[in-house]
Amino acid sequence: MEHVQGRIFRDFTVPGVSPAERSAIYVAMIETLARLHSLNVQSLQLEGYGRGTGCCKRQVSTWTKQYQATAHQDIPAISHLSDWLMKNLPDNDNEQCLLHGDFKLDNIVFHPKESRIIAVLDWELSTIGHPLSDLAYLCVFYFWPRTVPMINHCSYFQENIGIPSVEELISIYCRHRGINSVLPNWNFFLALSYFKMAGIAQGVYSRYLLGNNSSENSFLFANLVKPLAETGLQLSKRTFNTALPQTDTAGHLFVQTRTGREVLTRVKDFMKQHILPAEKEVIAFYVQNGNSVDKWRKPLVIDKLKEMAKAEGLWNLFLPAVSGLSQVDYAFIAEETGKCFFAPDIFNCQAPDTGNMEVLHLYGSEEQKKQWLEPLLQGSITSCFCMTEPGVASSDATNIECSIQRDGNSYVINGKKWWSSGVGSPTCKIAIVMGRTENSSESRHKQHSMILVPINTPGVEVIRPLSVFGYMDNFHGGHFEVHFNQVRVPVTNLILGEGRGFEIAQGRLGPGRIHHCMRTVGLAERVLQIMCERATQRVTFKKKLSAHEVVAHWIAKSRIAIDQIRLLTLKAANSIDTVGSARAMKEIAMIKVAVPRVVCKIIDRAIQVCGGAGVSQDYPLANMYALTRSLRLADGPDEVHLSAVAGMELHDQAKALTAKL
């Protein structure tokens, strides 16, 4: 055994850390227990470590005898519980796993700064036996009666503080062990754990009476024995469903595939354990480096998280051909990643790279795919998309003036672009540029093309970063003005062919808008959480903010609106899955208008609830508002999409009227 430097949490509610880190601590704990129980006793040559089969029966007998030897009064609940346990032993009381025997939070050492376990302590009760006895013992504090003082002055469990539910812990445990999450005899093991706790409490009090216990509060344990035994009896009579609530697909409009549900569960676990706890570190990096040469770089933790996600197979989830997911599947995942500003990058699902990868996957030549798509899919480089121009109203994309002219075996690009996202990243190596390749014989929508331009090509000049309401968006590589001055690239860099730019753009923007909108729905959920937390904590005019009708109505309206835009976005995703992007244009345009508008309103309400703090750096709301408001311009302003929706609706109505006539 060696000395390790780390943290031990005595209070099971883990005060003093963020909800995200609290969740990650519990996930790490349950995963460690699952790994312990997955060890092969035979290969470790530990068959003789315990006393063989019948571990549950021995535990009931042992704790019964221990209680009887130390009892200071007659407690009928103890006898009743002991009798019930002996009569209801599990049929499979022959399982042989390595048990810890006292696996709980205060016997675990965590890394000084990370939610990572570096040591497990106190193995005195370890043996070979049934794994659910360890699991149930870990979960006893979820069922602790509020009328009974917590041991060691711990706090009672609360909702909405980041601690996973019992069902979530069981789901993670069973998934890591590869077993069914419907656990037989769960009531038995919970009852056994409370019986054990009652026996321990009785032993502590007995040693106090004998003067052998050094704790000054040992006498208090006398009052725990009876309520713990009674709680055990109550749990023995309960019927538990240990599985996570299943989605009732018959009652849902948009159903995920089985793979989609499994990947979503894994993404949620990864978010809880690894991504959300890293938020403070990532934010601190940009605060510290805001005026340094490192401001466009990413902190080291990002690369570490990316490697972990890639190892878990949570990589390139946005691309159906790679992930096997439908647009509906990925929509739910995008919502989850939208809850943290850097989460999409961890799974290599960040804009604008997702759109650029889709372009290369759908329209790129084999040479283009090998040179640029493969490193983008690997995450070894990033990219940018250059379309919008400062000199023309780019909301009408036919105005784009940047020229792409053929000159022998090359194309020469000249023009000015801005709002080219991601250019500031040191890993940005390639740009997809949209420009004019005029052909007087073709329509106005066949005058433009897309071409690949390496960022280090002579003539590419990065002019300046552009701020969004004062924010530079450093993490995502910023938004830049870029000039192309006699930039020469091979003709093989042209994508699909001359005059195909708008065709490519429509294929690129359909799924991309689904991704943007569902991430924004996830952001809205985070905003609503902040609003509710603040409203239940702050008091004005002698009552909590949540008790003021106007605030309560804001919360209700926000909940209603989030569910509405989620359904609208899922409808668009389902349309892409079933009829394709081209025939889903109306639905895609509708969400592009509805989602940013609704979420801007929700963020505004949250800012009002948070007051001055809401517009400060202490809360993410101001930055969230800036980025969400910019979505009403990105990929075309609201007004363009409204006109498009109106045109398609009028066409559909006229078509329906004609059919009736």
Side-chain angles (χ1 to χ4, degrees):
M1 181 180 292
E2 61 185 35
H3 177 76
V4 294
Q5 292 285 347
R7 298 176 293 169
I8 296 177
F9 301 101
R10 303 294 182 188
D11 190 328
F12 300 125
T13 61
V14 200
V17 303
S18 67
E21 185 176 3
R22 194 174 291 119
S23 177
I25 286 167
Y26 268 78
V27 172
M29 182 168 59
I30 197 68
E31 288 183 342
T32 299
L33 184 63
R35 285 196 290 269
L36 172 64
H37 291 166
S38 298
L39 295 174
N40 189 299
V41 173
Q42 286 74 31
S43 64
L44 294 173
Q45 299 182 342
L46 291 174
E47 297 97 322
Y49 188 64
R51 295 173 57 187
T53 59
C55 178
C56 294
K57 184 176 181 179
R58 284 197 305 276
Q59 285 198 55
V60 175
S61 177
T62 297
W63 289 107
T64 299
K65 291 176 181 177
Q66 181 157 325
Y67 171 77
Q68 291 172 345
T70 58
H72 68 285
Q73 62 176 322
D74 179 41
I75 301 177
I78 288 283
S79 302
H80 295 329
L81 184 53
S82 175
D83 292 341
W84 184 91
L85 290 168
M86 197 59 78
K87 292 175 182 177
N88 290 275
L89 295 168
D91 295 333
N92 60 339
D93 193 16
N94 55 0
E95 284 205 31
Q96 293 199 316
C97 287
L98 180 59
L99 304 185
H100 182 275
D102 194 22
F103 193 88
K104 50 188 173 61
L105 188 63
D106 57 354
N107 279 336
I108 295 171
V109 182
F110 286 82
H111 186 278
K113 294 184 178 179
E114 301 174 12
S115 304
R116 176 165 57 86
I117 293 175
I118 57 176
V120 178
L121 310 176
D122 292 349
W123 291 83
E124 292 87 350
L125 296 177
S126 61
T127 185
I128 303 297
H130 201 297
L132 293 191
S133 59
D134 262 352
L135 181 60
Y137 188 69
L138 178 64
C139 295
V140 292
F141 296 99
Y142 282 88
F143 304 93
W144 198 272
R146 293 279 173 160
T147 55
V148 180
M150 288 287 280
I151 293 175
N152 296 332
H153 303 290
C154 292
S155 305
Y156 292 101
F157 272 30
Q158 304 173 43
E159 293 184 0
N160 303 320
I161 63 170
I163 297 177
S165 67
V166 173
E167 292 79 10
E168 287 173 326
L169 285 185
I170 291 172
S171 175
I172 296 168
Y173 173 88
C174 293
R175 182 160 49 80
H176 277 273
R177 290 202 61 210
I179 62 175
N180 196 313
S181 59
V182 178
L183 302 179
N185 307 113
W186 183 238
N187 61 331
F188 171 89
F189 289 101
L190 285 175
L192 175 60
S193 295
Y194 271 90
F195 184 61
K196 177 179 174 180
M197 296 285 287
I200 292 172
Q202 182 60 54
V204 171
Y205 181 67
S206 175
R207 290 193 293 276
Y208 163 78
L209 293 176
L210 296 173
N212 296 331
N213 200 310
S214 59
S215 173
E216 61 183 21
N217 295 324
S218 301
F219 68 96
L220 297 174
F221 281 75
N223 299 323
L224 295 179
V225 181
K226 181 180 177 181
L228 289 177
E230 290 174 343
T231 301
L233 270 178
Q234 293 169 5
L235 292 172
S236 72
K237 299 171 184 176
R238 283 178 57 179
T239 300
F240 289 91
N241 181 9
T242 54
L244 280 171
Q246 295 297 307
T247 302
D248 179 13
T249 56
H252 284 243
L253 293 172
F254 312 108
V255 182
Q256 290 176 281
T257 65
R258 179 179 177 181
T259 301
R261 291 194 297 271
E262 291 174 353
V263 173
L264 177 61
T265 298
R266 291 166 58 206
V267 167
K268 286 182 175 181
D269 290 346
F270 196 93
M271 291 277 294
K272 285 182 179 179
Q273 185 175 1
H274 303 297
I275 293 178
L276 294 175
E279 269 192 333
K280 287 183 179 179
E281 181 179 347
V282 174
I283 293 169
F285 175 87
Y286 289 106
V287 170
Q288 294 166 8
N289 294 284
N291 297 314
S292 77
V293 293
D294 291 330
K295 63 184 176 183
W296 301 113
R297 297 187 178 276
K298 290 180 169 62
L300 294 177
V301 68
I302 296 298
D303 288 333
K304 178 182 176 182
L305 290 172
K306 284 185 174 183
E307 288 304 314
M308 292 169 63
K310 189 184 290 187
E312 291 280 340
L314 300 174
W315 195 253
N316 295 325
L317 303 175
F318 70 95
L319 197 58
V322 174
S323 66
L325 301 174
S326 68
Q327 291 295 335
V328 169
D329 286 334
Y330 183 67
F332 285 102
I333 293 166
E335 176 180 348
E336 194 65 27
T337 63
K339 296 175 183 177
C340 174
F341 71 95
F342 62 84
D345 291 65
I346 304 305
F347 305 111
N348 208 39
C349 294
Q350 69 283 352
D353 296 306
T354 49
N356 292 341
M357 285 187 271
E358 283 168 336
V359 165
L360 290 169
H361 172 74
L362 292 172
Y363 308 111
S365 66
E366 291 305 313
E367 181 184 346
Q368 291 167 352
K369 289 178 181 178
K370 184 174 182 179
Q371 186 175 5
W372 301 113
L373 178 59
E374 288 182 10
L376 282 168
L377 288 171
Q378 286 295 320
S380 56
I381 67 170
T382 57
S383 61
C384 64
F385 185 68
C386 301
M387 183 173 176
T388 306
E389 298 181 2
V392 298
S394 302
S395 56
D396 178 358
T398 62
N399 286 336
I400 287 174
E401 294 179 337
C402 176
S403 66
I404 302 174
Q405 294 186 343
R406 179 77 179 257
D407 182 20
N409 292 325
S410 302
Y411 279 104
V412 179
I413 301 111
N414 283 284
K416 298 178 180 179
K417 299 288 185 180
W418 70 346
W419 296 108
S420 299
S421 301
V423 174
S425 172
T427 59
C428 183
K429 304 300 181 184
I430 186 69
I432 294 181
V433 180
M434 186 162 176
R436 184 181 294 272
T437 49
E438 285 195 63
N439 185 337
S440 57
S441 63
E442 295 288 354
S443 70
R444 62 197 294 261
H445 287 102
K446 292 187 178 180
Q447 301 289 327
H448 295 79
S449 305
M450 290 194 186
I451 195 163
L452 290 159
V453 180
I455 292 295
N456 61 359
T457 306
V460 176
E461 186 180 0
V462 178
I463 302 299
R464 58 173 178 146
L466 302 165
S467 66
V468 182
F469 287 96
Y471 292 98
M472 301 307 297
D473 202 9
N474 300 79
F475 180 83
H476 297 107
H479 313 279
F480 279 75
E481 181 174 348
V482 184
H483 293 182
F484 297 85
N485 304 307
Q486 291 295 115
V487 175
R488 185 177 294 270
V489 298
V491 294
T492 53
N493 282 27
L494 192 72
I495 301 174
L496 197 58
E498 289 191 10
R500 309 289 291 273
F502 280 94
E503 177 185 344
I504 296 169
Q506 289 307 313
R508 178 187 191 275
L509 292 175
R513 285 171 181 156
I514 299 288
H515 307 166
H516 265 313
C517 288
M518 283 306 284
R519 283 195 294 265
T520 307
V521 172
L523 181 146
E525 289 284 6
R526 187 87 183 264
V527 171
L528 181 57
Q529 180 186 5
I530 292 171
M531 191 194 310
C532 290
E533 287 176 355
R534 185 75 167 185
T536 55
Q537 292 170 356
R538 306 287 279 197
V539 174
T540 62
F541 305 103
K542 299 184 179 180
K543 59 182 179 180
K544 289 185 177 180
L545 287 175
S546 57
H548 291 275
E549 186 177 58
V550 64
V551 175
H553 285 190
W554 285 345
I555 292 168
K557 289 177 180 178
S558 299
R559 175 76 275 153
I560 292 167
I562 291 171
D563 287 354
Q564 287 174 331
I565 57 174
R566 178 187 291 110
L567 286 173
L568 189 61
T569 308
L570 289 172
K571 181 174 184 283
N574 185 65
S575 295
I576 294 178
D577 283 334
T578 53
V579 300
S581 294
R583 293 176 61 187
M585 288 177 62
K586 183 163 72 172
E587 288 81 1
I588 294 168
M590 288 164 64
I591 63 171
K592 179 61 180 64
V593 174
V595 174
R597 284 188 171 191
V598 165
V599 178
C600 278
K601 183 65 176 177
I602 293 170
I603 299 171
D604 187 67
R605 291 170 183 151
I607 289 172
Q608 287 298 107
V609 171
C610 293
V615 294
S616 76
Q617 69 269 38
D618 291 354
Y619 277 78
L621 297 172
N623 190 29
M624 288 174 167
Y625 185 87
L627 296 177
T628 305
R629 181 61 181 83
S630 69
L631 288 181
R632 293 186 59 195
L633 299 170
D635 294 341
D638 289 359
E639 292 70 25
V640 169
H641 296 292
L642 286 168
S643 295
V645 172
M648 287 182 277
E649 182 64 21
L650 288 167
H651 176 269
D652 291 345
Q653 293 283 355
K655 188 176 179 180
L657 180 61
T658 302
K660 287 181 181 179
L661 293 174

